[in-house]
């Protein structure tokens, strides 16, 4: 969701800014721009990709040691050259980039218009930079004071970076509700909306908190103060990310790389947390909250998108093993429907980025009502990691592909470990059951390695169904969320309409869609409701539907009926989603590639949805 890069120091800014924008392309965007101060302020921007921006500035003067750059994902105003960031102030002496939404921009714009200001774009960002300069000129203050005054009038979320021709040795940044990280180098500073543009320059970073302003001057210490002018001491952290982790590593797309990384990412999600020999499952980040979890009358999981699907899998696991009632809520709906929240509820936020705006708002509301708030996220230093009472990092490593893959399985692994930890302490699972589940969980990485061997078969199936206008995904029990996730992946990156349903619900509507052109993907692994799923397959075949079945290795019954059979290793029923999702990820990937889609940057989507 938009991308910010900034630099001030001894080096030329432009190469750092452009390379940083390329690092942020995975976030999703529709236009790009750059502004650099070198005696005077130069600004270049265009609709399109970062490569289009490079062509646009070719032959122009981009020299200078301080600058800002941005990739925009449109909210206010359509994607075009004018609405692209950065935006000038009225005098043309200041420029600003902005992530987030200024909710009261219309009222501010009307007030400024009545005072004679004109606007060239449809953005809320241009309104804010106009307001800042208006305050600077009329109140005769410096840029920082003008920014503080302006932000005290603003309602909404923002991560902004500002440069001024009048103060060319200063880069100013502020945040509220939208992430911003400062990289501290050797006499220079880097700014970005996440750490990916910074990692190759420095490992020392400071994550800004809400309503904090960073004042960056080369050769000086980092200054942080609040919008109410309270001085803050920067808290320096070390980046754990490596440059190789954000490279494709020989794969044609980040998504495929991340699918194949799952044996490793799941091992990392379990490392130091489970021991088969000692019968231990321990999530260190939750140690002080184990009793809260064990005694919880209800657990509420809040999430969006793929993380919501992981929560649905977690619901089956927590209720089955820990015997605690669980509700899984879309964060975007939960925050607005006046939910009933008790002080003895445990609310768990699930988010890959830790910056999902709706999820942050949902847990903020729940926290105000006295509930215990825990988090499951992938990014150290993220907002969710900082505002929750406690939590667990998934340790999946950077996920660059917009369509989440390894983050989903890592979230499910954390949830199953949580369920086992609670169940053991609560006594809702026998010692032998606990031992068997820990053993089976420990085997999941190797079973995923085996599941990845179906790649060639998936390519064959993809060739057959790449032009299908619709697809149906069916699953029962804990495999129902897998069906939802499989359908979402196909929609996200191939633009084929797909729906996931509980298999038994097919008769209550979706069966009307089935004909000889409709591929129906069925998760039909043994155990549980296997006999029922066979009946559902027969119902599809009776209407000439085409069956693609994901089955347990060695299955013979489904093979008799299905058009294509994808085998996965035998796995404990509760852990099947971790393995069954692998061929569905590959299916969506290969179909998207065959259709010529931009797999890593699907249209209209952003990796991290940091605005409503």
């Amino acid at each position: 969701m938009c991308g910010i890069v900034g630099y001030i120091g001894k080096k030329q800014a432009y190469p750092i800014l452009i390379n940083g924008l390329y690092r942020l392309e995975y976030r999703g965007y529709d236009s790009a721009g750059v502004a650099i101060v070198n005696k005077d302020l130069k600004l270049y921007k265009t609709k399109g990709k970062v490569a289009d921006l490079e062509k646009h500035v070719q032959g122009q003067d981009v020299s200078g040691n301080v600058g800002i750059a941005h990739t925009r994902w449109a909210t206010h105003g359509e994607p075009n050259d004018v609405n692209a960031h950065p935006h000038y102030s009225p005098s043309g002496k200041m420029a600003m980039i902005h992530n987030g939404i200024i909710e009261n921009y219309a009222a501010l714009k009307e007030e400024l218009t009545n005072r004679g200001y004109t606007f060239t774009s449809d953005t809320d960002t241009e309104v804010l930079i106009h307001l800042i300069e208006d305050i600077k000129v009329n109140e005769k203050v410096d840029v920082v004071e003008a920014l503080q005054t302006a932000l005290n009038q603003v309602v909404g979320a923002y991560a902004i970076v500002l440069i001024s021709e009048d103060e060319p040795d200063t880069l100013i940044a502020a945040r509220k509700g939208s992430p911003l990280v400062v990289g501290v180098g050797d006499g220079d500073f880097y700014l970005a909306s996440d750490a990916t543009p910074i990692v190759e320059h420095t490992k020392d970073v400071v994550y800004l908190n809400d309503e904090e302003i960073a004042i960056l001057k080369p050769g000086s210490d980092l200054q942080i103060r609040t919008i109410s002018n309270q001085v803050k001491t920067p808290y320096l952290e070390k980046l754990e990310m490596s440059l190789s982790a954000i490279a494709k590593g020989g794969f044609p797309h980040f998504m495929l790389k991340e699918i194949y990384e799952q044996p490793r990412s799941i091992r990392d999600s379990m490392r130091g947390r489970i021991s088969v020999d000692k019968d231990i499952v321990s999530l260190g980040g939750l140690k002080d909250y184990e009793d809260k979890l064990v005694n919880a009358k209800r657990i509420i999981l809040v999430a969006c998108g793929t993380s919501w699907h992981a929560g649905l899998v977690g619901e089956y696991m927590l209720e089955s093993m820990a015997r605690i009632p669980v509700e899984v809520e879309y964060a975007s709906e939960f925050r607005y429907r006046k939910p009933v929240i008790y002080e003895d509820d445990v609310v768990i936020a699930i988010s890959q980025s830790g910056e999902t705006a709706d999820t942050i708002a949902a847990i903020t509301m729940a926290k105000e009502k006295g509930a215990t708030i825990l988090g499951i996220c992938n990014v150290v230093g993220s907002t969710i990691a900082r505002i929750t009472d406690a939590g667990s990092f998934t340790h999946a490593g950077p996920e660059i592909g917009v369509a989440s893959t390894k983050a989903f399985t890592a979230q499910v692994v954390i949830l199953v470990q949580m369920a086992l930890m609670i169940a053991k302490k609560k006594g809702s699972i026998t010692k032998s059951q606990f031992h068997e589940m820990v053993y089976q969980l420990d085997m999941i990485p190797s079973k995923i390695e085996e599941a990845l061997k179906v790649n060639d078969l998936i390519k064959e199936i993809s060739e057959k169904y790449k032009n299908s206008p619709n697809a149906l995904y069916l699953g029962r029990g804990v495999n129902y969320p897998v069906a939802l996730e499989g359908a979402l992946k196909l929609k996200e990156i191939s633009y084929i309409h797909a729906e996931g349903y509980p298999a038994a619900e097919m008769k209550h509507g979706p069966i009307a869609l089935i004909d000889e052109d409709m591929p129906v993907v069925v998760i039909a692994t043994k155990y549980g409701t296997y006999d029922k799923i066979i009946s559902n397959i027969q119902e599809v075949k009776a209407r000439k539907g085409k069956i693609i079945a994901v089955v347990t290795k060695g299955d013979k019954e489904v093979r008799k009926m299905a058009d294509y059979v994808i085998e996965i290793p035998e796995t404990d029923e509760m852990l099947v989603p971790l393995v069954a999702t692998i061929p569905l990820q590959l299916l969506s990937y290969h179909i998207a590639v065959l259709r010529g889609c931009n797999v890593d940057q699907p249209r209209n989507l952003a990796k991290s949805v940091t605005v409503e």
Side-chain angles (χ1 to χ4, degrees), residues 303-324:
C304 299
T306 286
S307 296
W308 186 76
H309 295 158
L312 289 177
V313 177
E315 178 182 21
Y316 283 93
M317 293 172 170
L318 285 161
E319 290 194 340
S320 174
M321 289 186 272
R323 307 305 297 155
I324 298 173

Side-chain angles (χ1 to χ4, degrees), residues 213-415:
I213 298 172
I215 301 107
L216 313 176
K217 295 176 181 287
S220 301
D221 291 336
L222 170 62
Q223 301 175 51
I224 297 179
R225 64 182 74 167
T226 67
I227 62 174
S228 58
N229 210 36
Q230 181 183 0
V231 176
K232 294 284 188 176
T233 302
Y235 176 65
L236 205 65
E237 298 185 47
K238 288 286 185 184
L239 277 180
E240 296 180 1
M241 184 186 301
S242 66
L243 196 57
S244 62
I246 56 174
K248 289 181 183 174
F251 286 89
H253 298 95
F254 281 109
M255 182 181 178
L256 188 62
K257 177 195 176 194
E258 287 154 7
I259 290 171
Y260 273 85
E261 281 180 338
Q262 286 173 106
R264 191 272 308 157
S265 60
I266 287 176
R267 285 190 185 99
D268 288 346
S269 294
M270 297 188 296
R271 182 170 288 115
R273 291 169 167 170
I274 73 166
S275 170
V276 178
D277 294 338
K278 297 179 181 179
D279 267 356
I280 290 173
V281 174
S282 177
L283 295 169
L286 299 178
K287 189 169 182 60
D288 293 338
Y289 288 84
E290 285 185 14
D291 289 340
K292 276 274 187 183
L293 285 163
V294 169
N295 297 314
K297 293 181 180 178
R298 179 176 62 162
I299 293 174
I300 302 171
L301 304 175
V302 293
C304 299
T306 286
S307 296
W308 186 76
H309 295 158
L312 289 177
V313 177
E315 178 182 21
Y316 283 93
M317 293 172 170
L318 285 161
E319 290 194 340
S320 174
M321 289 186 272
R323 307 305 297 155
I324 298 173
V326 177
E327 295 178 14
V328 186
E329 299 274 2
Y330 280 118
S332 55
E333 291 294 316
F334 182 72
R335 62 179 292 199
Y336 286 118
R337 64 171 178 78
K338 296 182 180 178
V340 178
I341 302 172
Y342 301 106
E343 290 187 0
D344 55 2
D345 284 337
V346 175
V347 179
I348 303 175
I350 310 173
S351 169
Q352 189 282 137
S353 67
E355 301 291 352
T356 310
D358 285 317
T359 306
I360 291 168
I363 59 174
T364 300
M365 177 194 66
K367 197 168 191 175
E368 289 170 355
K369 294 181 182 293
T372 298
I373 312 297
L374 306 178
I376 297 173
C377 67
N378 191 34
V379 180
V380 176
S382 63
T383 299
I384 286 176
R386 285 182 287 155
I387 68 174
T388 48
D389 296 315
S392 288
F393 290 112
T394 55
H395 298 305
E399 187 177 66
I400 305 300
V402 167
S404 184
T405 52
K406 64 177 181 176
F408 170 75
T409 50
Q411 288 166 350
V412 171
V413 165
I414 296 297
L415 286 163

